[in-house]
Amino acid sequence: MADNTGTLPTYDALLDTSGLYCPEPIMLMHNKVRDMSSGQVLKVVATDPATTRDVPKFCQFLGHELIEQDTSSADAYLYFIRLA
């Protein structure tokens, strides 16, 4: 996993959690991954600073791969997750 330095990965589904605060982004991620298949990539857009901690823990706990994250902007955080 590396911070974004150029081209963002392609993704199969988008989850925009902008304006939501903990625990809502993670709860919505749980629901979204249930509708997806192993190997697919989920792009998550978030504005809650707590996601910088919560999304990596979510991936680690459930065995998903956080393939890219861009937390360089204070306006929105981007996460690309490959499902286990």
Side-chain angles (χ1 to χ4, degrees):
M1 167 190 67
D3 283 334
N4 180 39
T5 56
T7 306
L8 296 173
T10 59
Y11 55 92
D12 300 293
L14 170 66
L15 178 62
D16 187 350
T17 66
S18 298
L20 301 177
Y21 293 96
C22 185
E24 292 175 299
I26 298 302
M27 291 170 53
L28 291 175
M29 286 172 56
H30 274 289
N31 291 337
K32 187 68 174 179
V33 300
R34 286 187 191 120
D35 298 332
M36 298 177 67
S37 300
S38 178
Q40 288 188 312
V41 174
L42 172 63
K43 176 183 178 181
V44 178
V45 179
T47 53
D48 181 6
T51 61
T52 61
R53 175 198 66 229
D54 295 342
V55 171
K57 292 285 186 185
F58 170 87
C59 293
Q60 181 182 21
F61 183 74
L62 296 174
H64 302 309
E65 178 186 3
L66 181 56
I67 55 175
E68 190 79 51
Q69 67 179 356
D70 183 352
T71 56
S72 61
S73 170
D75 297 327
Y77 308 110
L78 304 177
Y79 304 95
F80 294 84
I81 302 163
R82 181 171 291 117
L83 303 185

